[in-house]
Amino acid sequence: GPGGLPTPYTLDDHETVSDPGAWQLWWEFNKDPFLAYGRIHTGASATPGGDGEEALFSGSRVSRKLVDARIVPALLKQIEEGGSNPRMRSALLAIAKIGGTQNSGRFAYILNWFLVADQSNAGMGRVAPVALGILAPPGTDETLIHLAKDDAEGRRLHGAPIEPGLRASAIYGLGLFGARSTDRSRRSRIVRTLVDILEDPTSSVDLGVAAMTSLGLVPLELDPSAEICTCGECKVEGPETCLEAQTTYLLRYFTADREFDPLLRAHTARALALLVAAKPEGATETLKEVVAGFLIEGLERYAHQPPPVRQSIVCALGLLGDADGDPVDGWIRWALRRSASHAGPFEKRFALMALAAVGGRQGEAEEAPFAGLGDVRATLLHCLSNGKRDLRPWAGLALGVLGHELGQASRTPDRAVDSALRGALRRAKKADEIGAYALALGLRGDEESLAELQRTVERAKDPAGASYACLALGLLGEREAIPTLREAIGRADERPLVATRAAIGLGLLGDGRVADDLAELYAKSDDLETHLAIVRSLGYLGNPHGVRSLLGWLEDGETAAEVGDAAVAGLGFAADSAPLSWRTPLCRGMNYLARTESLTSAEEPGLLDLR
C-alpha cells in the first residue's frame, strides 16, 4: 500500500528486490543523470556518405534526418497497428521524446486521441498526459488543466468522468509542461491550478502528492518587492504570483502536522527544496535559510515526525546544500551527518546519499567552494569501514556519487578513496556489496580498477553482482572492457541480467563497430534473452547501424513479440537527443518510499516506472 514500494520490485526486467532498504532501488530511481544515454557518441562511422539511403545510416549518432525519415514513420506505424501495452507505452513516450517543431502537431493529435475514453484502455490513457507534458506542444496546458480538475470541459474531452489515475497523470503532465514553458502567465496559471487541487477538500492524498510533485517542477520568478511571511503558519495569498509567495505558501503544508497527511507533507519537503534549488536570477540566501531551518527543525528530537517525512527531509537537504563554508550549508551538512549516524534505517541510507550530493556540489563562496568536502568524505569513509554490514554498500555507492560529482566539477577525486573501494570490492562476498562497490568505482572513473571489474564480471557467482560490474565498466569509459562485455552478451541465455547490463555498458562505451557485431550475434542466436539484450544495447548506443537493425527486426513478421516491444523502446532511447532523461527532474531527491499509486505501482506502471 501507500508508503512502501510494490514488492518485489523488478529492475531491468531480471533483478527482483524485496528489501525496501536496498541501495539498488535508490540507483533505479536516480541512475539517469549518471548513465546519460543521450550523451553517448559512438565515434566516426566507416560507412561512406552519399545522397541516398546509405547517408541516413552513416555518422556516429542518429541524425535528426534519420529520426524523421525512418524512426518516426516506424513508430507511427506501431501506434496505428496497436499492440501490447508495453509496446504502446514505449511508442507514445518515444514520439514525445523526439518532439521537434515539424512533428509537434501530428504527435499532439495522436496523444490527444489516446485521452478519449472510447479510444483507449486506462493504461494508455494514463501515459498520454505524461507524454503530452514531455512533448509540450502549445496549448496542451489547457487540455491538461481541464483533465486535472475533472471539470465539465475535461469530461467533454475525455467523453466520461475522469478516473483518479488519469487525473493524477494529467497533473504530472502539467508539471512537466510547466517545467519546459518560458511563458510567465502559463506557468502562473499552472501553479494556480495545482494549488486549487491541493486546496480541494475532495482531493485524495494521491492527487495531492501529484500536485505537490508538479509544483516543485515549476519555480516562478522572483519579486524583490514581495512581502513574505516566513512563520510557516499563515495562509499565504497569491502563491501563483512569485517564487517567494509560492515557497512560503507551501511551508504551512510542511509544518501543520495535524492538518495534512504525512505522505503529502513528505513530498512538500522535496517541493520546497526544489523551488529554492532552482535559484532564479537575483535569488538571495534568505529563502534557502528559511526552508533549511524548517526542514532541520523537522528532524529535531522533539518533532516526532513519521518516518516518510523524516526520510524526505533528508532527501530535500541533499538538494538544498552545497560544499562551501556558508553557515547554512555547514548546518545542512551537520544535520545530515547526524541523521547518518543516529536515525532510523531508511533515513540513515538517504542521509548518506544526500551527503554525497552536497559534498560534491560546488558552493558559491569564491574562496573555498569545497570547504566542507573533507568532513563529508571522512563520514562516508568511516561508514564504509566501520558501519553496520547493511549500511556499508550505501556508503560505498555514496562515495561513488561523490567522486562522480567532483569529476563533473573538474576536481580530481581522492585516490585514497578509490583504493579503499577497490579493497572493499576484493573482500566482498555478497552480491549487494559487490554490486555497490563495483558501481562506485565506475562512477568515480577509477581506471586502476579495470582489471578487478573485469574479473568480477567473469567470476562473480551471483549474476546481480556481475551485472553491476558490467555497468561500472561502461561508466569507466575504458575501451579495453569491450571484449568482456560482448562475451557477457553472448551468454545471455545463461545470465540474462548480466547480459542486459552489459548491453548498457557497451552503449556507454559508445563503440560504433559493436552495433554490427551485435547484429551478427543476433542472427546466430535463437535465444530470446540474447535477442532482448542485444536490442536494448542497440537502443542505448543510438548508433545508425544499430537503428537499421532495430527497424529491420521491428518490420520482420517473424520477430518475437517481446523483441518487438524492446525494439520500440530502443528506438525511443536512440532518437532522444536530450542530454538528460525526462525522468531526471521527477526523480531528483525523490523519496520513493513515500509512494502513492500514481507514483509507482505494481499494477499499471506509475509515473516513476515509465521510461
Side-chain angles (χ1 to χ4, degrees), residues 163-209:
E163 49 97 20
L166 177 56
R167 282 191 72 190
S169 294
I171 294 168
Y172 290 128
L174 259 186
L176 289 163
F177 184 101
R180 292 183 173 219
S181 175
T182 53
D183 184 316
R184 287 179 73 158
S185 61
R186 283 186 188 280
R187 289 167 71 89
S188 175
R189 175 128 192 258
I190 288 169
V191 168
R192 184 67 246 176
T193 302
L194 297 171
V195 166
D196 289 344
I197 291 164
L198 277 180
E199 291 182 347
D200 181 348
T202 66
S203 287
S204 64
V205 172
D206 195 357
L207 292 178
V209 166

Side-chain angles (χ1 to χ4, degrees), residues 496-576:
L497 177 61
V498 182
T500 295
R501 291 194 174 127
I504 301 172
L506 271 178
L508 290 169
L509 288 173
D511 187 328
R513 291 165 304 177
V514 170
D516 293 330
D517 296 343
L518 289 175
E520 267 179 51
L521 181 57
Y522 182 102
K524 288 178 189 165
S525 172
D526 296 324
D527 180 69
L528 177 64
E529 293 297 349
T530 305
H531 285 176
L532 286 170
I534 289 167
V535 166
R536 288 189 190 103
S537 182
L538 295 176
Y540 297 135
L541 266 168
N543 171 276
H545 294 235
V547 165
R548 189 199 317 244
S549 300
L550 292 175
L551 291 165
W553 297 325
L554 197 54
E555 288 156 11
D556 181 353
E558 304 295 306
T559 301
E562 299 98 319
V563 176
D565 293 352
V568 171
L571 288 171
F573 273 111
D576 185 2

Side-chain angles (χ1 to χ4, degrees), residues 324-341:
D324 70 18
D326 289 346
V328 64
D329 293 301
W331 193 22
I332 288 170
R333 294 191 299 270
W334 167 83
L336 289 173
R337 284 200 301 273
R338 187 181 59 174
S339 283
S341 55

